[in-house]
Amino acid sequence: VQLVESGGGSVQAGGSLRLSCVASGYTSCMGWFRQAPGKEREGVANIGSDGSTYYTDPVKGRFTISRDGAKNTLYLEMNSLKPEDTAMYYCAADSCFRMRASFPRIGTMASRYWGQGTQVTVSS
């Protein structure tokens, strides 16, 4: 499965961005991860084919994950952005069993399919 992200950019605090990720194939779960400089990659949100969603606590109420099954496309709507949201954002795909095993950490059951990443920068 190949994944291609788009939609990153630079915004001021309080602003919004929408990330997209197009997948070349189907997996039961798709998700977004992020990695800030000097920090480990961490899970942001994921969504199953049944519509179930997981969010990491810092983004709850601000970010919304969705997917269009017909288009094999994943979205992340990010509102009320904060400087601490600045990171490279990665799209990932795999089974929900693997993706949620250690969420939001990436454990030994890391997702097998990753995009190249898209940069999100939030200035204060």
Side-chain angles (χ1 to χ4, degrees):
V1 177
Q2 294 183 328
L3 304 169
V4 179
E5 305 102 331
S6 61
S10 297
V11 295
Q12 291 190 326
S16 299
L17 283 173
R18 188 192 197 203
L19 305 183
S20 299
C21 171
V22 180
S24 63
Y26 168 83
T27 56
S28 59
C29 249
M30 295 184 74
W32 292 98
F33 293 73
R34 65 186 180 185
Q35 187 168 17
K39 295 188 176 181
E40 292 186 352
R41 192 175 298 189
E42 62 176 2
V44 175
N46 62 65
I47 183 168
S49 57
D50 60 355
S52 59
T53 57
Y54 281 36
Y55 292 93
T56 188
D57 286 346
V59 309
K60 286 180 179 177
R62 300 188 297 121
F63 291 11
T64 302
I65 191 170
S66 61
R67 67 189 290 183
D68 184 330
K71 297 180 180 180
N72 271 350
T73 302
L74 179 71
Y75 303 100
L76 185 68
E77 188 74 36
M78 305 185 293
N79 298 314
S80 302
L81 282 161
K82 303 176 181 180
E84 51 264 44
D85 295 318
T86 295
M88 185 70 78
Y89 282 70
Y90 297 90
C91 176
D94 212 311
S95 68
C96 288
F97 176 75
R98 292 184 70 98
M99 190 169 291
R100 294 173 173 175
S102 303
F103 184 85
R105 294 180 298 107
I106 298 177
T108 56
M109 300 288 283
S111 298
R112 290 170 291 181
Y113 309 109
W114 294 89
Q116 294 297 314
T118 185
Q119 179 68 37
V120 171
T121 302
V122 185
S123 58
S124 58

